[in-house]
Amino acid sequence: MMRNESIPAAKEPKTAKGEATRRAILAAAEMVIGRLGFNEASIGEITRVARVAQGTFYIYFKSKDEIFSELVAEMGRSLRHEISMATHGIADRLTAEREGLRAFLTFVAAHPELYRIVQEAQFVDPEAYRAYFRTFANGYRHGLAEAVKVGEIRPGDAEIRAWALMGIARSLGERAVIFGENTTIDDVVQSAHDLIVHGLKR
């Protein structure tokens, strides 16, 4: 998948201990903000869960806003990595669509708080929210266009297709995380992939 060029990663610590502390704070923020929401979450609660002094937070992040934006970027980077790994070596685009969707839903199921944070970003940090989806769309569009070139899928507007396919994944993720529907991932993927491949035409 593509690099996220729109949202730079937070400054990396110089030592392994510093990186471990930063990761602990990020994990705590994911849990606290994902469960309470941005407005209700506090830096004090984040550092309590991370088991670090409140002052330590400011060594790695300037504010709650900054760590929120970093979590949105982290979701994008981690998710793109998981999808890339799941589809690596798959030559057929339609099979890659199926396994990419499976990887997405599996990741979302394992990180529901992070998914909620991205959903909330449209109100808390619209710039990070737009960058998250535009970065996905750019890579997606390129992959679909390449699949058309080699004859794996029929011609069509790659931009619209990318956003439509992203919309399917997003809605299914929301169905699982926000609405709590517990259909198995395999069943969801099978039904959605059938729609993607065959459409609604009789």
Side-chain angles (χ1 to χ4, degrees), residues 101 104-105 108 115 140 164-174:
L101 179 59
F104 171 81
L105 293 174
V108 165
Y115 185 78
Y140 217 149
L165 290 166
M166 285 164 51
I168 289 173
R170 179 175 181 260
S171 294
L172 292 174
E174 187 171 301

Side-chain angles (χ1 to χ4, degrees), residues 166-198:
M166 285 164 51
I168 289 173
R170 179 175 181 260
S171 294
L172 292 174
E174 187 171 301
R175 179 179 182 270
V177 174
I178 308 300
F179 292 91
E181 299 292 340
N182 58 4
T183 310
T184 68
I185 289 176
D186 284 344
D187 286 344
V188 172
V189 169
Q190 181 178 344
S191 294
H193 189 62
D194 177 75
L195 175 63
I196 291 168
V197 174
H198 300 109

Side-chain angles (χ1 to χ4, degrees), residues 30 71 74-83 100-115 118 132 177 185:
E30 176 183 334
L71 286 169
E74 176 76 9
M75 170 79 168
R77 289 190 295 268
S78 298
L79 185 51
R80 290 193 301 277
H81 174 74
E82 291 298 318
I83 293 173
L101 179 59
R102 189 190 310 279
F104 171 81
L105 293 174
T106 300
F107 183 91
V108 165
H111 302 275
E113 290 87 6
L114 202 52
Y115 185 78
V118 172
Y132 172 89
V177 174
I185 289 176

